[in-house]
């Protein structure tokens, strides 16, 4: 095909032609992908696309957001590009029974200061078992589609989303900016037909419709996505230039009017009993819906109230997912293996005769810990009526949603005569070190630390995992390989890989599965991750009890790595004292029981704390006082930082990084950023929980008691000793209105 000649085009002509090309290509695409009735020949289509690309190359600044170069077949060759969500895509908290739902309703009411009988409406709708997708429309045109990813950054699947029948290309009468969110899913019928086709052509056969939907949406070649029958239900929105409605139900109606599919089982409920009744109705219809759902989602209907309720770190306070009960199946337990995790925990894993549970083939399940296998809980009380679990047993396996399958029960009538009681190992099966079970801990742990290869590998796998360093091209498999070959022993080694093995890329290039391009990409990906947000670094260290939420709480609180380290080091003597006090308390309880007297717990603990230097006591108190961080996390942090080998390993890592300080919620223009605030007395315009959450969102620290560190006391009617103390200390005291005025909320 001759190259299009665009040398004579003026800028104005180029702009006009790009607009008409966009329209022509859009029409051609729609005819081809949606209606299965092409209106122009492939050659004509290609010519239009080429001309479009040539004009864009000559006038890059004129490239349109809905440019055809972003469409089918144009996905980047080595993976999807990333999209930073304008508003985070969150997940939902879960309710597993009716009581959880009434608790949810009560906590919403409590937060809002509403009585049990005050009117409060919720929507109830099926929870679709697919994958979420965010569609961005600007001036009514679909300009971008992104998967959820980690909630903050997703994958750009625009070309693929355009092939989905339920995703409108253009909207009429929509706000200038509208991000529509919802679920991509595959119907049972389409799933069965796809799998039949796949089996015939030796393609991948999918385990369930959700995997099929995810696998189909995340195709680099959008023409494959086009051949997969995906559907989309809209149920939420992200950034919008103007509100869609005043209520959740109104917003959903608006989305339906704009041309989106919304779920027909969505209903407005006036109170918890109605929500539960609707849950039952949906559950009854579950098997005949023709697509998978895994529960019911309840959302506060009034969007003003949704706003007030806001979010916890990853879930909204105004919604909850009421999950359907777990699915069950019976199968044979072939054996019990012990896996060693990154914190040294010895975890028993059931090897099962494969069985289908809720559409997924299960061949492994967790057995939790040695007590669970033996048929007792952590306190020694019987579980499963005290029945232990043995290799050869007929066992019940269940799974709920995404949770790892569990062995729940055993059928003694089917136990083989020669089945023997399982003996839990007392040494680590990986390194032979003693496996120790501490007082009060359900888990037995390998004491080998970094010399245990299993712990080291698991730590490394965790380090590169998605919520941690997320290094493209360096997943669990590659980490295992590099570790086995002695290339990396600890996280810091990842960042010196290139210096050690990258010379001319020869070494890596010659390894199985690595080519020049992938080796270069890996080194590039590693370089990119030298700059790492503080929260990710903290999470990546894989410290016990420090999950994503605690890591981000710590990052937000301390802002910098240095501040965190100083605080944790300062708190170390306090952590020691805490452990000694816990041990002393346990001993005192035992002694008291033996002597038939009341245990003197406070006195026992106080005696130990008195010995501690006041500054160290304060440092400890400050660490455990951080929102979301308690004594358990604080002890785990200090223990990990105090262990010499581990600390040296962390220091080597940190020296190789450029740590991005956490964005403090404290917006610089917030008048209360960094201030310590105490609320006392009755608040009349908001509840205590709401007041605290709002203050924290503005960067303030909310404390329960007045001290010299307090900056502001907000005193409502009935304030007593705290107000008096604040007055003595000369602390600024405001009433509720004064506080609202200060934070600009009136
Ligand atoms: S609302 C801020 N509604 O469930 C929360 N989510 O477990 C916005 N999901 O990530 C989500 N059906 O992918 C909502 N009717 C529904 C849903 C739904 C399925 C998914 C969604 C979300 C996940 C949370």
């Amino acid at each position: 095909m001759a190259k299009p000649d665009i040398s004579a085009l003026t800028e104005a002509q180029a702009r006009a032609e790009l607009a008409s090309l966009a329209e022509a290509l859009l029409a051609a695409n729609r005819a081809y992908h949606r209606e299965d009735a092409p209106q122009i020949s492939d050659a004509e289509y290609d010519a239009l696309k080429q001309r479009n690309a040539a004009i864009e190359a000559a006038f890059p600044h004129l490239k349109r957001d809905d440019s055809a170069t972003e469409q089918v077949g144009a996905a980047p060759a080595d993976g999807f590009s990333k999209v930073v969500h304008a508003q985070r895509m969150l997940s939902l908290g879960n309710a597993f029974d009716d009581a959880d739902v009434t608790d949810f309703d009560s906590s919403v009411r409590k937060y809002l200061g509403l009585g049990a009988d005050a009117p409060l409406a919720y929507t109830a709708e099926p929870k679709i078992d697919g994958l979420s997708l965010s569609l961005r429309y600007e001036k009514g045109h679909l300009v971008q589609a992104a998967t959820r990813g980690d909630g903050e950054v997703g994958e750009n699947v625009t070309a693929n989303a355009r092939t989905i029948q339920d995703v409108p290309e253009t909207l009429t009468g929509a706000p200038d900016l509208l991000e529509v969110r919802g679920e991509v899913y595959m119907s049972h019928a389409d799933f069965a037909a796809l799998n039949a086709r796949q089996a015939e052509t030796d393609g991948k056969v999918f385990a369930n419709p959700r995997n099929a939907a995810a696998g189909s949406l995340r195709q680099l070649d959008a023409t494959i996505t086009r051949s997969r029958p995906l559907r989309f239900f809209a149920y939420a929105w992200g950034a919008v230039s103007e509100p869609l409605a005043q209520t959740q139900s109104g917003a959903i109606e608006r989305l339906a009017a704009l041309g989106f599919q919304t779920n027909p089982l969505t209903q407005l409920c006036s109170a918890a009993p109605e929500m539960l009744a609707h849950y039952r109705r949906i559950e009854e219809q579950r098997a005949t819906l023709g697509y998978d759902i895994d529960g019911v989602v309840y959302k506060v209907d009034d969007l003003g109230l949704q706003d007030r309720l806001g979010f916890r770190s990853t879930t909204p306070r105004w919604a909850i997912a009421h999950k359907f009960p777990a699915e069950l199946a019976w199968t044979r337990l072939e054996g019990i293996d012990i896996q060693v995790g990154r914190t040294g925990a010895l975890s028993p894993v059931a090897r099962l005769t494969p069985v289908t549970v809720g559409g997924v083939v299960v061949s492994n399940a967790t057995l939790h810990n040695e007590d669970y296998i033996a048929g007792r809980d952590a306190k020694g009380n019987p579980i499963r009526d005290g029945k232990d679990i043995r290799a050869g047993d007929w066992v019940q396996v269940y799974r709920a949603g995404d949770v790892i399958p569990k062995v729940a029960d055993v059928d003694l009538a089917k136990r083989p005569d020669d089945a023997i009681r399982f003996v839990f190992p007392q040494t680590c099966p990986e390194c032979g070190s003693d496996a120790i079970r501490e007082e009060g801990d359900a888990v037995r742990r390998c004491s080998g630390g970094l010399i245990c290869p299993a712990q080291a590998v698991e730590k490394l796998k965790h380090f590169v995992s998605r919520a941690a360093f997320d290094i493209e091209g360096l997943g669990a498999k590659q980490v295992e390989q590099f570790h086995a070959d002695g290339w990396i022993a600890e996280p810091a080694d990842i960042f010196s890989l290139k210096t050690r093995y990258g010379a001319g890329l020869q070494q890596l290039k010659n390894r199985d599965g690595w080519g020049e391009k992938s080796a270069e990409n890996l080194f590039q990906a590693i370089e990119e991750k030298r700059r790492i947000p503080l929260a990710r670094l903290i999470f990546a260290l894989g410290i016990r009890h420090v999950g994503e939420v605690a890591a981000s709480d710590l990052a937000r609180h301390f802002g910098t790595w240095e501040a965190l380290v100083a605080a944790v080091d300062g708190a170390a003597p306090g952590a020691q004292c805490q452990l000694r006090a816990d041990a002393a308390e346990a001993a005192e309880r035992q002694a008291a029981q033996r002597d038939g007297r009341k245990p003197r717990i406070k006195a026992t603990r106080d005696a130990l704390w008195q010995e501690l230097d006041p500054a160290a006591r304060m440092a400890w108190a400050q660490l455990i006082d951080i929102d979301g961080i308690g004594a358990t996390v604080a002890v785990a942090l200090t223990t990990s930082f105090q262990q010499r080998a581990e600390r040296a390993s962390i220091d080597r890592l940190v020296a190789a990084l450029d740590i991005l300080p956490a964005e403090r919620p404290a917006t610089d223009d917030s008048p209360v950023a960094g201030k310590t605030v105490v609320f006392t007395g009755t608040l009349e315009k908001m509840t205590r929980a709401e007041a605290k959450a709002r203050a924290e969102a503005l960067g303030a620290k909310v404390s329960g008691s007045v001290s010299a560190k307090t900056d502001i006391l907000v005193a409502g009617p009935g304030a007593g000793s705290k107000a008096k103390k604040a007055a003595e200390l000369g602390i600024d005291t405001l009433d509720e209105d004064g506080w609202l005025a200060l934070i600009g909320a009136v």
Side-chain angles (χ1 to χ4, degrees), residues 90-92 94 125-129 131-132 148 183 235-236 297 299 311 316 318 321:
L90 294 148
S91 57
L92 293 168
N94 289 326
E125 71 202 60
K127 182 168 187 297
I128 316 298
D129 198 6
L131 68 154
S132 44
R148 190 175 105 133
E183 204 83 352
Y235 53 63
V297 183
K299 299 171 185 168
F311 299 86
W318 43 264

Side-chain angles (χ1 to χ4, degrees), residues 128-133 181-185 231-235:
I128 316 298
D129 198 6
L131 68 154
S132 44
L133 182 69
R181 292 178 174 177
E183 204 83 352
V184 173
Y185 68 100
R231 312 292 312 256
F232 179 79
F233 272 129
Y235 53 63

Side-chain angles (χ1 to χ4, degrees), residues 247-321:
T247 58
Q248 176 77 31
S249 46
I252 297 302
E253 273 168 28
R254 180 91 193 274
L255 291 177
L258 286 171
F260 290 95
Q261 299 298 320
T262 56
N263 197 287
L265 292 172
T266 308
Q267 187 176 300
L268 197 58
C269 301
S270 68
E274 259 187 49
M275 289 149 78
L276 295 173
H278 194 54
Y279 172 88
R280 306 254 131 72
R281 267 197 298 278
I282 293 178
E283 197 178 19
E284 275 166 20
Q285 296 179 49
R286 185 181 182 189
T288 54
L289 289 178
Y291 51 87
D292 276 354
I293 62 173
D294 57 347
V296 173
V297 183
Y298 309 118
K299 299 171 185 168
V300 169
D301 192 43
D302 183 322
L303 299 183
L305 297 183
Q306 282 192 7
D307 252 3
R308 274 179 63 193
L309 285 154
F311 299 86
R312 294 179 215 93
S313 52
T314 58
T315 56
R317 286 196 192 85
W318 43 264
I320 198 161

